[in-house]
Amino acid sequence: SAKTAGRNTFRFYASGMNAAVREELELENDLREAVERESFELYYQPKLDTVSGRMVGMEALIRWHHPRRGWVSPAEFIPLAESTGLIVRIDTWVLEEAVRQLSAWKKLGQALVPIAVNVSAREFASGNVLARIEQLIGRSGLPADLLELEITETTLMQDVDGTAPLLSALKKLGVGLAVDDFGTGYSSLNYLKRLPIEVLKIDQSFVSDIGTDEDDTTIVSAVIALAHSLRMKVVAEGVETEAQAAFLKEQGCDMSQGYLYSRPLPADELLAFWRRR
Ligand code: C2E
Ligand code: MG
Ligand code: MG
Ligand code: MG
């Protein structure tokens, strides 16, 4: 009967949900252990000057090799890290590792370019960012402008007034500031003139539809023009085709990042790419 079917359906969903919850808890435990053991790797994706093709920067992207599941995408574990608070320790590890890597490249005689690090909303609101970065840079002896923070538009929007003094202090320190995933967060552009931001990263959802979706193509041109009129630089994220690259060059986009040039790479492979450029 319908009643029995209903009950069975309920049971099906209930046990399905238990499995999902159990899996999530298990992943959380594994993540906690990974944080304890620092069993992450930092990969680096080049940012290229759109005109000269030179490598002018890079983005650090975390990778987690899970003992049973293999590589787990940050898109999956970063949200979990955020909801459990583990993100604060992860972000700390990423910052330290990125600066350590820069120092190692410097020792090899490499002329350095800035490394961008993603900072989560939680870390950003924690109140520790400034002191941590000040200390880290002080200890490393590297110029502060070799470090850039990528903060998503959504994070910035959460508390513009609270964020402004922190960003100003970071800028005074010399650290670069970029808005990540620009265009996906909010409809008001008012915050842009209130925050000392130097770089806009156009979200890859717009870049991927250049040439195929007229609206997205228009948005990309408009964002480039907007950024330049506010004296900011623009990075296009997720550039995959020559056609996209040609359009971005024609529109005066400053920097490009994407699989067309390189996937995120382990440090040694990044160095090889860098030296070829
Ligand atoms: P994001 O900061 O916007 O990073 C860009 C993402 O796009 C990266 O994914 C990168 O591998 C991917 N990507 C780059 N070029 C292309 C392309 O041409 N095509 C496509 N389809 N994708 C491309 P990833 O490494 O999986 O990271 C996903 C997100 O996870 C990041 O987005 C960032 O929000 C977060 N994340 C990654 N590493 C960290 C980290 O160390 N700390 C924090 N807090 N978040 C991180
Ligand atoms: Mg980013
Ligand atoms: Mg992004
Ligand atoms: Mg993203």
Side-chain angles (χ1 to χ4, degrees):
S1 72
K3 210 172 160 189
T4 324
R7 210 179 297 139
N8 286 342
T9 308
F10 171 75
R11 227 181 329 210
F12 171 78
Y13 280 124
S15 68
M17 204 150 90
N18 281 338
V21 168
R22 215 178 311 119
E23 198 178 320
E24 169 122 355
L25 281 176
E26 203 177 281
L27 195 64
E28 184 185 329
N29 277 333
D30 295 344
L31 187 60
R32 206 172 289 280
E33 200 173 296
V35 168
E36 288 303 329
R37 299 186 179 175
E38 304 190 335
S39 47
F40 301 106
E41 249 185 89
L42 214 47
Y43 276 40
Y44 303 87
Q45 188 176 35
K47 286 183 195 170
L48 305 172
D49 181 289
T50 304
V51 176
S52 70
R54 290 175 63 103
M55 190 179 127
V56 291
M58 62 187 113
E59 177 174 8
L61 294 156
I62 195 169
R63 298 290 179 261
W64 175 25
H65 193 262
H66 187 282
R68 290 178 309 281
R69 294 165 188 241
W71 293 103
V72 184
S73 161
E76 191 178 342
F77 75 83
I78 292 290
L80 180 64
E82 286 188 326
S83 65
T84 53
L86 287 167
I87 192 68
V88 175
R89 291 176 66 189
I90 292 177
D91 280 356
T92 305
W93 179 83
V94 170
L95 272 170
E96 285 177 355
E97 178 63 16
V99 170
R100 193 200 59 72
Q101 187 58 64
L102 269 178
S103 300
W105 281 325
K106 189 183 172 195
K107 283 207 191 93
L108 293 175
Q110 194 67 22
L112 300 178
V113 297
I115 289 191
V117 167
N118 293 283
V119 178
S120 72
R122 187 93 168 230
E123 166 77 357
F124 206 65
S126 73
N128 297 324
V129 176
L130 183 63
R132 182 171 294 143
I133 288 177
E134 229 169 346
Q135 194 190 36
L136 194 61
I137 287 172
R139 251 190 320 185
S140 74
L142 294 168
D145 63 6
L146 286 178
L147 188 65
E148 183 176 84
L149 303 183
E150 292 191 5
I151 307 148
T152 66
E153 183 174 37
T154 316
T155 298
L156 286 175
M157 288 313 309
Q158 280 172 14
D159 177 16
V160 177
D161 293 322
T163 301
L166 172 57
L167 292 185
S168 299
L170 286 166
K171 189 181 179 183
K172 209 167 144 206
L173 200 65
V175 171
L177 300 169
V179 183
D180 206 348
D181 303 347
F182 184 76
T184 61
Y186 203 69
S187 53
S188 163
L189 298 172
N190 191 40
Y191 76 96
L192 281 182
K193 63 174 190 196
R194 294 166 60 199
L195 299 174
I197 290 154
E198 294 130 340
V199 175
L200 291 189
K201 297 192 76 178
I202 308 177
D203 191 70
Q204 62 183 47
S205 58
F206 303 114
V207 175
S208 68
D209 283 335
I210 287 175
T212 55
D213 183 315
E214 208 178 312
D215 290 341
D216 283 342
T217 309
T218 306
I219 289 171
V220 170
S221 315
V223 170
I224 294 169
L226 170 80
H228 287 164
S229 71
L230 293 169
R231 292 170 301 280
M232 295 174 185
K233 302 263 185 220
V234 195
V235 181
E237 294 193 276
V239 181
E240 292 185 348
T241 69
E242 293 289 357
Q244 291 161 1
F247 177 82
L248 291 162
K249 194 167 169 178
E250 176 198 299
Q251 295 294 312
C253 181
D254 304 281
M255 288 165 269
S256 300
Q257 184 183 344
Y259 296 169
L260 176 64
Y261 309 104
S262 171
R263 292 190 173 250
L265 301 169
D268 55 337
E269 288 176 40
L270 186 281
L271 183 61
F273 176 93
W274 198 354
R275 286 179 166 165
R276 281 200 304 274
R277 288 264 153 181

